[in-house]
Amino acid sequence: MKGQIATEGVVYAQGEWHVGNPKLLGPRTHGVWLGSVVFDGARYFDGVAPDLLPHCERAVLSARVLGMQPQITGAEIAELAWEGIRRFPRESQLYICPMFWGGSGFIVPDSHDVGFGMSIYPSPLPPADGFRALLSSFRRPARDMAPTEAKASCLYPNTGRAVAEAKAKGCDTAVMLDPSGNVAEFAYTNLFFGKDGVVHTPAPNGTFLNGLTRQRVIKLLREAGVTVEERAITWNEVLGADEVFATGNYQKLGWCKQLGDREFVKGPLYERARDLYFAYAREHGRP
């Protein structure tokens, strides 16, 4: 597809670009059979891809957590990502997903037989019109129960159960607790709330991924003079908040309009965080 302008998804694998969804894994591939798949996600919009390099570097780290030894660096992945991005019209909104998987091995993947692919495809940013959430009956695992330090595909069936439970009850997502009963995060986004002008968010404790957008928003808020407290948080504290919002790569920032039976409005701390993030992205998101 050399020189071709992409209108659908493209995939880099086996040293070249493919259109669509090429078949790369078989039933005996370790990643299919025994779950050794990790991935990461970055975004491209308005001509920028904020924090693309850290997302690519985290994909490599995630692979190492699962016992694989990738032969490509985060910087090389980011360079390939920009190559793929340039195959799309500049006004595109894209999802960028580098992946690693084990090729062979029994139970433990062969650390040197590592597959790599990266898909890039159109995916509009969701509208910031608020989401509804409830408290999930499913919890996030502790670090001695699952590879929680990786963005590993094997963690997502549990996330899927929480989301399915929420949708069956008319909500969009769920708040998940950690094994100790404190709030961990929303099902697939990091949780923040505002109370009396202060932003609060669960401290990373090995039960949820310390998101890159989460880290960026905390840094930007603190640089802007907003107090951000990272600590253990209870469900009742979130219910008593002035406002609740979330960060994550897919939407970047979104606000919660209903949590259980409690309704919220779009708050000033969320608006401030969103303005700061997108200003940062547009200034620093180019290669």
Side-chain angles (χ1 to χ4, degrees):
M1 60 171 294
K2 186 175 181 180
Q4 179 181 346
I5 298 296
T7 56
E8 57 180 306
V10 299
V11 173
Y12 182 86
Q14 299 169 344
E16 60 183 344
W17 290 97
H18 309 262
V19 175
N21 188 30
K23 307 302 185 285
L24 301 174
L25 285 71
R28 292 175 59 186
T29 304
H30 193 282
V32 173
W33 182 32
L34 292 168
S36 57
V37 178
V38 300
F39 70 98
D40 218 288
R43 276 290 198 175
Y44 171 85
F45 55 86
D46 297 345
V48 297
D51 290 321
L52 175 61
L53 178 57
H55 279 288
C56 296
E57 291 174 332
R58 188 172 64 181
V60 175
L61 291 175
S62 292
R64 290 175 178 161
V65 170
L66 265 67
M68 294 178 276
Q69 294 296 326
Q71 299 303 303
I72 186 172
T73 68
E76 290 168 334
I77 297 171
E79 185 176 347
L80 281 170
W82 277 112
E83 181 181 320
I85 288 166
R86 294 186 183 104
R87 295 172 181 267
F88 292 84
R90 187 183 183 280
E91 65 274 13
S92 299
Q93 294 187 354
L94 306 173
Y95 193 85
I96 304 154
C97 184
M99 304 178 70
F100 291 101
W101 59 87
S104 59
F106 180 69
I107 306 299
V108 179
D110 181 337
S111 63
H112 299 293
D113 184 7
V114 183
F116 170 73
M118 178 165 53
S119 60
I120 303 175
Y121 54 90
S123 179
L125 289 169
D129 52 8
F131 61 88
R132 295 179 173 87
L134 51 70
L135 180 63
S136 178
S137 63
F138 302 104
R139 296 195 181 192
R140 294 286 300 174
R143 69 178 69 192
D144 60 352
M145 301 174 181
T148 56
E149 294 178 350
K151 196 170 178 68
S153 297
C154 61
L155 298 172
Y156 279 79
N158 192 47
T159 296
R161 293 194 300 172
V163 174
E165 178 185 46
K167 288 185 178 296
K169 297 179 180 180
C171 292
D172 304 298
T173 189
V175 173
M176 301 185 74
L177 304 182
D178 65 20
S180 299
N182 292 315
V183 171
E185 61 177 351
F186 288 110
Y188 52 90
T189 53
N190 293 127
L191 183 149
F192 291 77
F193 72 85
K195 183 70 174 180
D196 299 328
V198 176
V199 173
H200 305 260
T201 188
N205 62 359
T207 69
F208 64 91
L209 205 62
N210 181 9
L212 293 170
T213 306
R214 174 191 184 276
Q215 295 173 47
R216 181 62 63 194
V217 165
I218 290 173
K219 185 174 188 294
L220 291 170
L221 284 170
R222 285 174 172 165
E223 289 174 348
V226 179
T227 299
V228 181
E229 294 189 0
E230 299 179 82
R231 58 182 180 81
I233 289 171
T234 67
W235 167 244
N236 285 334
E237 284 184 282
V238 183
L239 283 179
D242 298 329
E243 59 177 292
V244 181
F245 61 97
T247 62
N249 179 63
Y250 185 68
Q251 187 176 14
K252 293 306 182 183
L253 287 98
W255 63 283
C256 182
K257 59 185 176 184
Q258 184 175 336
L259 193 60
D261 295 328
R262 174 83 195 280
E263 294 186 353
F264 294 91
V265 297
K266 188 186 300 184
L269 292 169
Y270 159 75
E271 295 276 25
R272 182 70 170 138
R274 186 176 178 86
D275 289 347
L276 287 168
Y277 179 81
F278 281 99
Y280 168 85
R282 293 183 175 105
E283 183 177 353
H284 299 281
R286 294 180 175 81

